[in-house]
Structures are given as C-alpha cells and as structure tokens.
Amino acid sequence: MFCGKTEELLRRVRRAIIARQRVKVFKPEIDDRYGIQRITSHSGQSVEAIPVAVSSDILALANGEATVVAIDEAQFFDDGIVAVAHSLADDYGVRVIIAGLDTDFRGEPFGAMPRLLSIAEEVIKLQAICVVCGEPASRTQRLVNGQPAAYDDPIIMVGARESYEARCRAHHEVLASGS
C-alpha cells in the first residue's frame, strides 16, 4: 500500500493511450474506494475502469478488441486470473499490465499474486516508506481501532489510510489469533 502501484499502472495506461493502442482497464468489483467505474491512485490520478466480479469476465469484456489490458488490485481476484492473463497474452497477443499486493496484511503471499509474478515477463516491486521509521516498507499494516489486526481477521478488507499503513519488516505487527 502507498508505494505507487496504481500510479505506475496509470502511467503505463496513459502511454498506451498516447500511442493510440486499444486499452481496456479492469478492477475488482469489490474495490469501490474511489468510485465504481474508476481506478484512482492515492494521489488522485484516475482513469475509467470496468469493474468485474470474477476474473473470467475480463476475457469476455476484452473480447479481442484491446491490444493492452490493465488490471488493478489483482490480489482480490480468484485464481482464474492466472489463466486469464495467459489467455490474453498467448491467445490474443495482448500486453497485460497487472498491479497488486504480493503479500496480505499478515505478510503472507496474497491470492494468485505469487503465480502471476512467476509468469510475468517483467516484475517491478515498489516499496512505500515505513510510517514508523522512514525506511523502505515492504509490508501492509492493517489497523483495527488504531491497533494491529489479529492473524485470524479476514484476509480481504478494502480500505485506505483509515485501515492500513506502510511498514518495514521490523515495525510490521500482527496480533496472535484470539488477541
């Protein structure tokens, strides 16, 4: 969180549009933080996006028209997102740009992201700044009433600054189950 993933995705989308490529942008339906039909970075940059409930909807909606498909918050999609990315790239020759968190609030691999990372031609791992010490932050600290979340809390909880902070490994905390 807060490392510029969506800003980088938006930068690549804008460049593709300038190059007159046919671009379609998708996001998970559950991510309604900045509007249903937009992806928006924390700094306020945005672009229109198609919200989808399941990853297979992306293939149907891209319908062979797009030369570039961008997918934000990929960690929220089902495991089928891997097959969708393969199909877009291999069957249709589409350039696929994906942004998402590689680890959840526990610091563990998040959804299908490890598989997506392993099949990607290029991976750029961005880091935020730890809000505690100012060092590079590789973790997402979930807060519940200002306190670290418990290990057994639900994995998916959409939120922004009110619920999450960027933390380095040393300052990332997860409470034991039942705490």
Side-chain angles (χ1 to χ4, degrees), residues 1-173:
M1 301 264 328
F2 312 111
C3 64
K5 293 180 306 302
T6 299
E7 283 185 26
E8 179 61 20
L9 180 119
L10 291 172
R11 185 185 74 78
R12 290 170 183 247
V13 165
R14 280 192 305 276
R15 290 177 60 84
I17 291 169
I18 290 167
R20 295 189 175 113
Q21 296 173 326
R22 295 182 315 275
V23 180
K24 289 210 175 185
V25 180
F26 296 93
K27 65 182 264 183
E29 198 172 68
I30 63 168
D31 182 9
D32 60 359
R33 290 172 294 174
Y34 299 106
I36 302 295
Q37 295 183 324
R38 297 197 78 69
I39 60 168
T40 304
S41 69
H42 295 299
S43 68
Q45 297 178 46
S46 70
V47 69
E48 285 187 38
I50 302 166
V52 294
V54 294
S55 62
S56 59
D57 291 346
I58 295 170
L59 271 180
L61 293 166
N63 62 14
E65 292 178 10
T67 57
V68 176
V69 168
I71 303 167
D72 197 29
E73 302 292 357
Q75 75 277 0
F76 292 144
F77 283 110
D78 55 273
D79 287 341
I81 191 70
V82 178
V84 167
H86 265 302
S87 183
L88 287 167
D90 295 342
D91 300 338
Y92 299 98
V94 171
R95 181 166 54 115
V96 181
I97 305 166
I98 296 175
L101 290 170
D102 60 345
T103 58
D104 61 24
F105 78 94
R106 299 171 179 170
E108 297 177 352
F110 202 158
M113 289 303 293
R115 289 177 53 213
L116 288 168
L117 289 166
S118 71
I119 65 169
E121 277 87 18
E122 178 184 20
V123 174
I124 300 171
K125 185 165 178 168
L126 302 173
Q127 290 188 320
I129 304 299
C130 179
V131 299
V132 177
C133 68
E135 292 295 317
S138 60
R139 302 285 188 270
T140 301
Q141 179 68 59
R142 181 184 293 167
L143 300 171
V144 178
N145 298 321
Q147 299 301 313
Y151 185 86
D152 56 357
D153 283 348
I155 297 294
I156 296 178
M157 185 181 104
V158 177
R161 293 190 191 278
E162 76 285 353
S163 304
Y164 293 98
E165 290 181 344
R167 299 273 182 100
C168 65
R169 183 182 296 270
H171 291 110
H172 179 251
E173 299 177 69

